[in-house]
Amino acid sequence: MGLVDAAMARRGGLDVAMNEPAMRALSPEDRGFARALAMATLRRLGSLDRILDTRLQRPPPEPVRALLRIGLAQMLYLDVPDFAAVSTTVKLAERDAKTRAFKGLINGVLRGLGREPAAEPPPEADIPAWLFARWSAQYGVEAAQAIALNARVEPPADLSLKPSADAAALAEALPGEVLPGGTVRTRRGGDVAGWPGFESGDWWVQDAAAAVPARLLAPKAGETVLDLCAAPGGKTLQLAASGDTVTALDRSEPRLRRLRANLARTGLEAEVVVADGETWADDRTFDAVLLDAPCTATGTLRRNPEALYALGPAEIAKLADVQHRLLDAAAARVKPGGRLVYCVCSLEREEGETQVLAFLRRHPEFTLAPADPDAVGAPSEALAKEGWLRLHPGQWPERGGLDGFFVARLERG
């Protein structure tokens, strides 16, 4: 319950709460179950509330609703036997003075839903109403529903490989499948450190959509490349694997630690710089620049459902201003004849399409280069008439979906 509360209170709250002393003291199995329960509750929060409201005569106190949610989530989405889920939830209610008087209600509601399950709510039930309305306006209701439906499901693990690694052999060993573009996708669970090829540094974890921007940048061996806002580093590893001289810059030293660890594990090389991309005191320019800008991350709702509940319309505008400034800073780093790829893992137009259109008005020395989705491992339907790529979680449903991304390649004259 505390994990769900932390996730809804602020962005990144779930990860912070998972590292609190009380959680770290749990066994790996218990920590894993706690996280799985929190994620299931967050992914299906709207559905859980709709189902509970069919059995509640009046709204209960929020701590009671929170217990009902996690009890019902175990019953519906984690295959916990009904009797065990009910018993555990009632015991949790007994421990807290705020919920103790409602243990009979909790017991009755959950047992009743076990005997007579409620109808499945529609996909949009699990998306904040204001956000679903935005997606419906931008993509159409059918596509918005496809995004919402895909967000209910635990995503597979995607791996990006070094050029020397054998994708087909890894897919067979995991097991998994090779996606367009060369990403290996697997449903295998457990600690990735025990998977084939981890110790030898053959691959790193990276969603198939997140691998598209570096492919669109199309680095050539011997070029100088800047990865702006590089952490946690999947794109840096892609660029380094192509034989470029790569500079990876990010303002967060803690987030760069993971990048350094992966560089060491894979045997790849990059210059790692801790600095603010807007004010970096270095006058170098580069053949190619990749800007994966800070954003609302609504495209990663499959992996980070809490982002939807810690987000409001004001934050979209705030981040759009940051992206505007970073794009201008990135443009100044591109050599004449060079190229810039801009991307965000957001579904919001203000952070993608609108940013690029405004950038081109400010920077007439740049032009938009049409993308080839087949060449970069993206769904064909991701290509917009303008030439940029708009990927979203409703695409590739037969393959298990993918994260949402906006990606555009800009070339300097």
Side-chain angles (χ1 to χ4, degrees):
M1 190 165 67
L3 293 178
V4 175
D5 291 342
M8 295 182 67
R10 65 187 189 280
R11 292 169 63 85
L14 179 62
D15 288 335
V16 172
M18 284 295 299
N19 284 291
E20 292 291 335
M23 289 300 300
R24 295 182 69 85
L26 297 176
S27 68
E29 293 78 13
D30 286 344
R31 289 186 80 243
F33 179 77
R35 183 177 180 85
L37 177 55
M39 292 293 281
T41 303
L42 289 164
R43 283 196 181 100
R44 302 305 303 270
L45 194 67
S47 290
L48 291 168
D49 281 346
R50 287 200 188 189
I51 292 171
L52 289 170
D53 286 344
T54 65
R55 307 302 167 92
L56 293 167
Q57 294 182 351
R58 61 181 63 87
E62 194 56 35
V64 176
R65 181 177 287 277
L67 282 176
L68 285 166
R69 285 168 175 164
I70 64 172
L72 187 58
Q74 292 176 74
M75 295 166 59
L76 296 182
Y77 310 129
L78 292 185
D79 296 325
V80 174
D82 290 359
F83 73 88
V86 174
S87 175
T88 300
T89 307
V90 170
K91 287 178 181 177
L92 286 173
E94 290 175 344
R95 294 180 185 177
D96 192 333
K98 296 178 182 177
T99 56
R100 192 173 300 129
F102 294 88
K103 64 181 184 180
L105 172 70
I106 292 171
N107 180 71
V109 168
L110 293 180
R111 287 189 182 278
L113 285 167
R115 290 192 301 269
E116 299 178 21
E120 174 80 350
E124 58 265 31
D126 296 314
I127 305 296
W130 69 272
L131 201 52
F132 186 80
R134 287 175 60 90
W135 296 347
S136 296
Q138 181 170 343
Y139 304 113
V141 174
E142 185 176 345
Q145 288 177 330
I147 293 170
L149 187 63
N150 192 275
R152 288 177 162 179
V153 182
E154 179 77 23
D158 291 346
L159 311 178
S160 289
L161 280 63
K162 291 164 64 174
S164 58
D166 187 332
L170 178 62
E172 183 177 356
L174 283 169
E177 64 171 319
V178 182
L179 299 178
T183 292
V184 172
R185 169 163 290 183
T186 179
R187 293 285 181 181
R188 180 169 177 163
D191 186 356
V192 298
W195 293 3
F198 179 86
E199 288 289 344
S200 54
D202 292 343
W203 51 262
W204 54 93
V205 177
Q206 184 181 31
D207 188 85
V212 168
R215 296 185 192 132
L216 186 60
L217 192 66
K220 304 175 184 65
E223 286 189 321
T224 58
V225 182
L226 172 63
D227 187 2
L228 208 58
C229 305
K235 299 174 186 66
T236 296
L237 296 170
Q238 286 180 275
L239 298 170
S242 68
D244 297 309
T245 300
V246 180
T247 299
L249 182 144
D250 200 277
R251 65 187 301 177
S252 172
E253 169 61 36
R255 296 185 75 228
L256 284 171
R257 289 174 193 156
R258 181 176 168 188
L259 170 56
R260 290 191 176 96
N262 272 323
L263 285 169
R265 181 178 62 84
T266 57
L268 298 171
E269 295 183 359
E271 175 191 13
V272 180
V273 178
V274 182
D276 188 316
E278 290 184 53
T279 59
W280 184 31
D282 189 305
D283 59 3
R284 279 181 288 173
T285 56
F286 299 82
D287 297 306
V289 176
L290 175 60
L291 172 58
D292 184 359
C295 69
T296 55
T298 51
T300 66
L301 74 170
R302 302 183 309 154
R303 304 178 192 280
N304 304 293
E306 72 275 15
L308 302 184
Y309 295 97
L311 174 68
E315 189 172 0
I316 297 173
K318 180 180 177 181
L319 284 164
D321 186 56
V322 173
Q323 293 148 10
H324 173 125
R325 299 196 306 270
L326 281 169
L327 260 170
D328 287 346
R333 299 286 176 182
V334 180
K335 292 179 180 179
R339 58 208 181 278
L340 164 64
V341 164
Y342 171 73
C343 65
V344 284
C345 57
S346 166
L347 297 175
E348 313 318 308
R349 186 176 182 85
E350 296 93 323
E351 300 182 86
E353 292 87 342
T354 301
Q355 284 291 347
V356 167
L357 291 173
F359 173 85
L360 291 170
R361 288 194 295 270
R362 297 194 307 274
H363 295 274
E365 71 275 21
F366 281 87
T367 57
L368 179 67
D372 179 353
D374 292 337
V376 296
S380 58
E381 61 267 33
L383 180 63
K385 65 181 186 300
E386 294 85 355
W388 52 57
L389 295 171
R390 169 52 82 181
L391 301 96
H392 68 68
Q395 296 167 351
W396 274 359
E398 73 284 359
R399 292 190 168 107
L402 74 173
D403 283 354
F405 260 84
F406 173 85
V407 193
R409 173 171 161 145
L410 305 156
E411 297 182 347
R412 183 168 190 169

